[in-house]
Amino acid sequence: MQQSASIIDTLSEGYRAIHRRPAALLLVFAFNLALLLTAPVSFAPLFDRFDGFLTRLAGASTETTGDAQSQMSALLAELGQTDLRQALALMNVMPRFIVPRFAPGALATNGADAVITIASVPAAALTFVLINLIVFPIGVLFLTLVGAAVRGEPAWQRDLWRAMVRIGAAVIGVMAILVAAFVLIGLPFAFVAALLMAVNDVLGVLAFSLILVVMIWVQIYVGFANEAIVMSRVGPLRALRASFELVRRNLWGVVGFLLLSLLITRGTEVIWEMLGTSMIGGVAAALGSAYIGVGLAAARMAFYRERVRRLSEQQAIRPGAAP
């Protein structure tokens, strides 16, 4: 049986794969540049109307309610001065780009020359749909290119589009299953937690805290579904099962890998925020953010492949296993 790779070895393997085949890196770099150089999207008029509605609804309220209304107004005002393109891209599977111009309330200080302003609910819904229709195919191409790099295959293969269709359909399937599970299971628990909050603040906070903890663990257990789709070429149900089994049998290895990845991501985001205050620095941040994010994405796929190989070998040498 081969010796198992360490987490550092897995990270190194991911970045070596990107060095050999940088197509995914160039794709994310181009995407980051597009975010940096195109007009931001603001829902300021829509949030202003909603704030006015809440103010009228509050009417002659108590001082406590007035304080809460003031805080809500401040939050809505900050959201109105925020570029919401990345926040609206819920189907994005690529690394996020963090620079000061995307920070909450940044549009008020950055003075962007052109801002796409959304003033109605139908326009907001259309914007949400359009952003995800643009981002999702690019993300599927990203997953396909990263998987090819980790496997050592050419980036632009003859059956690239067929692979993208398969991966895209499976990723949508996983998203649909998770949304359905949230609606059928998560919302009833959230409703119960809200009732408890109305009865007793302490019980409500404990209930919502429990829900938050469960959501974090669910995210960890299903977090390798995309890697299973790409590396094992399976459908959504088998991908979720493969991710669950991988985490269940390698819990502390997975936690260690995720914590190290989070440390690298958050640590480098500080650098990108410092660089992103100027246009030249923003371009450098776009490249650096793409490099770190794509390398970590490749490392996740290498981690998945290594742990699946280890589990297969352990099963093969289990007493009573078929020769």
Side-chain angles (χ1 to χ4, degrees):
M1 185 170 63
Q2 300 179 13
Q3 184 178 4
S4 300
S6 67
I7 294 177
I8 300 300
D9 292 335
T10 302
L11 288 173
S12 299
E13 181 181 354
Y15 281 96
R16 284 197 302 269
I18 297 305
H19 294 162
R20 292 192 302 266
R21 289 173 172 81
L25 170 61
L26 296 176
L27 175 67
V28 176
F29 177 47
F31 184 78
N32 288 350
L33 285 180
L35 285 174
L36 193 66
L37 300 176
T38 55
V41 172
S42 169
F43 283 13
L46 191 61
F47 288 140
D48 288 343
R49 288 168 52 193
F50 184 59
D51 182 39
F53 169 76
L54 292 179
T55 301
R56 291 191 301 271
L57 191 65
S61 57
T62 63
E63 183 178 351
T64 304
T65 305
D67 291 341
Q69 178 60 36
S70 299
Q71 294 175 2
M72 179 60 69
S73 297
L75 175 61
L76 291 173
E78 183 178 68
L79 288 175
Q81 297 300 320
T82 301
D83 183 358
L84 297 178
R85 287 177 295 172
Q86 293 195 84
L88 293 173
L90 298 183
M91 300 183 73
N92 180 32
V93 295
M94 294 181 292
R96 289 176 58 85
F97 183 30
I98 305 297
V99 289
R101 75 168 289 174
F102 303 131
L107 294 180
T109 56
N110 288 346
D113 295 332
V115 178
I116 300 175
T117 303
I118 307 300
S120 67
V121 174
L126 179 61
T127 301
F128 171 79
V129 172
L130 288 177
I131 286 176
N132 284 281
L133 284 177
I134 293 171
V135 167
F136 183 69
I138 299 174
V140 172
L141 176 59
F142 165 75
L143 291 176
T144 306
L145 294 177
V146 173
V150 174
R151 287 192 295 264
E153 300 171 352
W156 309 105
Q157 304 178 56
R158 183 179 304 175
D159 61 344
L160 174 66
W161 296 110
R162 186 181 305 172
M164 286 183 59
V165 169
R166 180 192 63 80
I167 292 173
V171 171
I172 289 176
V174 168
M175 292 179 178
I177 292 172
L178 294 178
V179 169
F182 175 76
V183 171
L184 295 175
I185 301 174
L187 286 183
F189 277 99
F191 179 73
V192 172
L195 291 178
L196 289 175
M197 179 70 77
V199 174
N200 185 284
D201 290 345
V202 175
L203 290 178
V205 170
L206 288 176
F208 277 112
S209 299
L210 178 61
I211 291 174
L212 178 61
V213 171
V214 171
M215 290 179 63
I216 292 173
W217 279 107
V218 168
Q219 185 176 7
I220 291 174
Y221 271 90
V222 304
F224 286 89
N226 287 346
E227 285 72 21
I229 290 170
V230 176
M231 301 305 294
S232 297
R233 297 183 170 95
V234 296
L237 289 175
R238 291 185 61 187
L240 288 170
R241 179 180 178 182
S243 177
F244 180 84
E245 288 296 322
L246 176 75
V247 177
R248 184 176 68 88
R249 301 190 183 191
N250 300 271
L251 179 59
W252 296 117
V254 169
V255 171
F257 176 81
L258 294 179
L259 287 177
L260 182 57
S261 299
L262 181 64
L263 179 63
I264 294 172
T265 301
R266 293 294 181 261
T268 53
E269 281 178 0
V270 176
I271 301 175
W272 315 144
E273 290 177 354
M274 294 172 59
L275 291 174
T277 54
S278 65
M279 180 55 65
I280 296 177
V283 173
L287 178 59
S289 176
Y291 177 75
I292 295 298
V294 175
L296 289 177
R300 281 181 67 97
M301 293 196 182
F303 180 88
Y304 171 85
R305 183 178 62 177
E306 160 64 20
R307 291 309 190 270
V308 168
R309 177 191 66 79
R310 182 192 301 184
L311 292 176
S312 299
E313 291 178 346
Q314 290 175 351
Q315 181 142 9
I317 65 173
R318 185 180 301 169

